[in-house]
């Protein structure tokens, strides 16, 4: 086994031993985004285009505004 193989094994072991991240908030946000697109397409009657506007509030909240427009 060469040095490169040992280094790779050490990296894989470090990744396997690292704490697991809780991705539930990310998965919920993606689900909400898909549902928003579906609702916009149903309401506007076809494919939609989206524009986003973002801002960081002083309270630490990160706000994203989505505006859907029907594709002509």
């Amino acid at each position: 086994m060469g040095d490169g193989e040992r280094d790779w094994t050490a990296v894989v072991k470090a990744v396997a031993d690292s704490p697991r991240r809780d991705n539930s908030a990310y998965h919920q946000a993606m689900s909400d985004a898909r549902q928003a697109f579906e609702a916009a397409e149903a309401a506007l009657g076809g494919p939609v285009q989206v524009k986003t506007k973002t801002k960081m509030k002083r309270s630490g909240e990160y706000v994203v505004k989505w505006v859907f427009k029907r594709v002509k």
Side-chain angles (χ1 to χ4, degrees), residues 21-72:
R21 290 185 62 183
D22 179 14
N23 290 329
S24 59
Y26 168 79
H27 290 294
Q28 182 62 46
M30 293 306 295
S31 174
D32 292 346
R34 284 192 292 279
Q35 289 175 1
F37 271 91
E38 186 177 321
E41 286 179 338
L44 297 175
V48 295
Q49 184 178 29
V50 66
K51 280 186 167 182
T52 60
K53 183 178 179 183
T54 62
K55 75 176 183 179
M56 178 69 83
K57 294 177 114 181
R58 280 189 244 167
S59 64
E61 294 178 341
Y62 186 76
V63 179
V64 180
K65 178 181 177 181
W66 292 14
V67 179
F68 293 95
K69 183 178 177 183
R70 187 167 185 223
V71 176
K72 296 179 183 180

